[in-house]
Amino acid sequence: AATFNAPEGEDQTLSFQLTVTDAYGLSAVQSTNVSIVATVLGTKENPFQVTSYEDLKKIGTGEDEWNLDSYYLQTADIDASPSETENEIDGQYLGFQPIGTEETPFTGGYEGDGFNINGLTINRANENGVGLFGFTQQAIIENTNLVDAALMGNVYVGGIVGRADQESIINNSSIQGTVTGVGSVGGLVGEMIN
């Protein structure tokens, strides 16, 4: 295995020299050159592939470079029903942890590609910024569909985004289910701010 650093999109040539020694002690040297083009994942051109509920939960965590400013492409319908019994505190299940907080909002892109996220549950009645994405800033979220969703929060509660700045784009997305909160509650977005 070989590891090297190269600027994205630039051709890099690696040279290898292999020495082979046979059972009689005779050696032969073979040289070869290999051309490699570096590709960086998580960009608009090469987004991370979201294929499962585990992938959905990984967004924005920093694990494997899945950062809040990265780009993601959903490639299949996702069963998010396990969220109903996740994150238990004092006998209550809080469900899915929204992506992005007020201090560290989601600033990347999410392309749902028309696939569904089924059965997403968020039960955080005492928390602000509840939605698939809690808080976004200059984010792009498109073609994202929640089906049979049940979301509950305090303030800034929306199916797709709890609270988005005016430069965020939420396009061609939908929710089927319930969204409940105390203030600034909306089907797709709880609140858009200036």
Side-chain angles (χ1 to χ4, degrees), residues 35 44 54 65 121 131 148 156 170 176:
S35 180
K44 198 175 212 176
E54 291 304 313
E65 304 297 321
T121 298
D148 295 327
Y156 315 131
I170 295 92
Q176 296 174 10

Side-chain angles (χ1 to χ4, degrees), residues 166-177:
Q166 69 179 5
E167 294 179 36
S168 289
I169 297 169
I170 295 92
N171 187 34
N172 198 33
S173 298
S174 67
I175 176 172
Q176 296 174 10

Side-chain angles (χ1 to χ4, degrees), residues 23 26 32 36 42 52 59 61 77 87 89 97 104 131 133 137 159 164 174 176 182 187:
L26 299 173
T32 188
I36 297 175
S52 68
I59 294 173
T61 63
D77 287 336
N87 298 312
I89 295 181
Q97 174 67 51
T104 55
F133 296 89
Q137 184 176 346
S174 67
Q176 296 174 10
V182 175

Side-chain angles (χ1 to χ4, degrees), residues 17-23 25-30:
Q17 189 173 48
L18 179 65
T19 303
V20 178
T21 304
D22 66 15
L26 299 173
S27 297
V29 176
Q30 176 70 40

Side-chain angles (χ1 to χ4, degrees), residues 129-149:
V130 171
L132 175 62
F133 296 89
F135 291 86
T136 64
Q137 184 176 346
Q138 298 178 344
I140 301 170
I141 301 165
E142 297 184 299
N143 305 305
T144 301
N145 305 309
L146 300 181
V147 177
D148 295 327

